[in-house]
């Protein structure tokens, strides 16, 4: 049984290599950190503007965390098979039809990932000629997230293709016990009833 505190999603284990679980955990931690840092920088930006002493560099910090959160989240979601896939269609199919849809979907995702790598790298190189104000940081620091995301999405898609062709894409998932939910009567007694 998996550790309940693990950030690695146990769903569809047959599509994952155990050796990459640390990377999924790291991506989930980075997602949480970038989301927290983005939110904190927005709050600080609002507060400093309201008190009449704005920190202009906060907008750069906010946009950096926002962009890295998006691309880190896309990579993590690909490993976790949380989005980017037409699972509703594939789940209704069986046999060869399902295999064709699963492979075709992942090949499209792989093509997009390769475009992220190639065109993201070109933008990254061009980004050294443009600078962010007021820090004068090359805008390439933002564009670096694109090819990194593409490489991770490509890695996770290849992982799923290899393991899906070897182990099958469809597998019955174990039923997880729902979290404990208190009965309504325990929280709020019925009207007119005794407490």
């Amino acid at each position: 049984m998996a550790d309940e505190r693990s950030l690695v999603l146990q769903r569809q284990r047959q599509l994952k290599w155990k050796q990459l679980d640390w990377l999924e955990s790291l991506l989930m931690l980075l997602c949480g950190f970038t989301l927290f840092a983005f939110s904190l920088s927005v709050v600080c930006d609002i507060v400093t503007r309201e008190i009449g002493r704005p920190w202009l560099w906060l907008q750069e910090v906010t946009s950096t965390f926002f962009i890295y959160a998006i691309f880190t989240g896309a990579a993590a979601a690909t490993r976790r098979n949380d989005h980017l896939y037409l699972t509703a269609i594939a789940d209704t199919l069986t046999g060869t039809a399902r295999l064709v849809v699963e492979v075709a979907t992942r090949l499209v995702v792989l093509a997009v990932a390769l475009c992220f790598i190639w065109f993201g790298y070109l933008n990254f190189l061009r980004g050294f000629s443009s600078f962010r104000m007021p820090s004068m940081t090359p805008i390439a620091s933002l564009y670096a997230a694109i090819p990194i995301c593409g490489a991770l999405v490509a890695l996770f898609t290849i992982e799923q293709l290899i393991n899906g062709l070897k182990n099958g894409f469809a597998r019955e998932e174990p039923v997880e016990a729902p979290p404990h939910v208190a009965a309504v009567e325990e929280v709020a007694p019925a009207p007119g009833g005794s407490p």
Side-chain angles (χ1 to χ4, degrees), residues 106-148:
R106 283 174 175 82
L107 288 176
V108 169
V109 171
L110 183 59
V112 171
L114 295 174
C115 288
F116 271 35
I117 294 169
W118 176 251
F119 294 111
Y121 179 70
L122 293 178
N123 278 338
F124 172 74
L125 293 177
R126 289 186 188 123
F128 286 104
S129 62
S130 300
F131 300 92
R132 300 175 70 194
M133 300 303 260
S135 72
M136 297 303 291
T137 305
I139 203 158
S141 63
L142 294 180
Y143 293 156
I146 301 169
I148 292 170

Side-chain angles (χ1 to χ4, degrees), residues 5 7 21 34 38 48 52-53 67 84 93 109 118 128 131 135 139 154 160 172 174 190-191:
R5 296 170 293 150
L7 294 174
D21 285 353
T34 53
F38 166 73
T48 58
R53 309 213 21 115
I67 288 168
L84 299 176
L93 301 172
V109 171
W118 176 251
F128 286 104
F131 300 92
S135 72
I139 203 158
Q160 290 175 9
E172 289 296 320

Side-chain angles (χ1 to χ4, degrees), residues 89-90 92-105 164-165 168-170:
I89 294 171
T92 62
L93 301 172
T94 58
T96 306
R98 175 158 187 166
L99 180 68
V100 168
V101 169
E102 294 276 11
V103 169
T105 302
L165 291 170
F169 288 99

Side-chain angles (χ1 to χ4, degrees), residues 10-85:
Q10 296 304 311
R11 188 180 72 227
Q12 297 179 330
R13 262 327 290 184
Q14 82 277 10
L15 298 178
K16 297 179 180 181
W17 291 318
K18 219 170 196 21
Q19 295 85 352
L20 293 180
D21 285 353
W22 68 271
L23 188 53
E24 182 179 342
S25 292
L26 178 64
L27 287 172
M28 292 304 294
L29 288 171
L30 287 173
C31 284
F33 172 74
T34 53
L35 181 61
F36 174 77
F38 166 73
S39 301
L40 181 64
S41 65
V42 167
V43 169
C44 289
D45 192 25
I46 292 168
V47 168
T48 58
R49 287 179 185 278
E50 285 297 316
I51 63 173
R53 309 213 21 115
W55 296 343
L56 299 178
W57 54 269
L58 273 174
Q59 290 183 348
E60 286 184 54
V61 171
T62 301
S63 64
T64 300
F65 282 123
F66 180 71
I67 288 168
Y68 275 88
I70 289 169
F71 288 107
T72 304
T78 302
R79 175 72 178 356
R80 297 166 70 88
N81 210 8
D82 277 346
H83 72 66
L84 299 176
Y85 297 103

